Amino acid sequence: MILLRGSTLAMALSLPAALLAGESAPLQIANGVLVNAAGMTVYTYDKDEAGSGRSSCVAACAKNWPPVIAQGSPRPPYSVLTRADGSKQLAHGGRPLYTFVKDRKAGDRTGDGLGGVWHVVRVAVP
């Protein structure tokens, strides 16, 4: 879970969406969670080790949980990791970010809590 507090949240909400993740992915805050440019919910996976520089979600997992693709050089707390296939994935706080194929429309959160290991990236207000 990712929490933004006080002035951090105010600053994040005042920035253009593309600046939230630098130039790599236009992530936004919608209804208390992080979403991509299409409004699709962004998730983290408990089996990913933060800061390891790799994703544990490969092969069939990555078909169901597509990585959030990174481009450019994002600003902290965002970073880019190189997946086993050579593609670039956006991470937040060292944790790779994903979307979920069963989320059909913007705002869906059908993957939250799935298997006890998938979680939306929540933005809490103190």
Side-chain angles (χ1 to χ4, degrees), residues 1 39 46-47 54 64 69 71 113 126:
M1 178 184 325
D46 285 348
K47 294 183 180 182
R54 65 179 190 83
N64 290 313
I69 302 303
Q71 300 172 359

Side-chain angles (χ1 to χ4, degrees), residues 25-30 33-42 68 98-99 106:
L27 298 181
Q28 304 170 23
I29 299 167
V33 300
L34 201 58
V35 299
N36 68 11
M40 303 307 287
T41 302
V42 174
V68 174
Y98 307 86
T99 56

Side-chain angles (χ1 to χ4, degrees), residues 92-107:
H92 182 279
R95 306 228 25 214
L97 300 174
Y98 307 86
T99 56
F100 184 43
V101 296
K102 291 189 178 178
D103 286 349
R104 299 291 182 205
K105 65 185 182 319

Side-chain angles (χ1 to χ4, degrees), residues 31-98:
N31 298 314
V33 300
L34 201 58
V35 299
N36 68 11
M40 303 307 287
T41 302
V42 174
Y43 298 86
T44 58
Y45 183 41
D46 285 348
K47 294 183 180 182
D48 287 333
E49 184 180 335
S52 70
R54 65 179 190 83
S55 166
S56 298
C57 182
V58 296
C61 177
K63 289 184 187 328
N64 290 313
W65 298 91
V68 174
I69 302 303
Q71 300 172 359
S73 299
R75 295 183 211 147
Y78 294 92
S79 59
V80 176
L81 60 95
T82 302
R83 296 180 54 81
D85 65 5
S87 64
K88 303 294 184 186
Q89 183 173 1
L90 188 64
H92 182 279
R95 306 228 25 214
L97 300 174
Y98 307 86

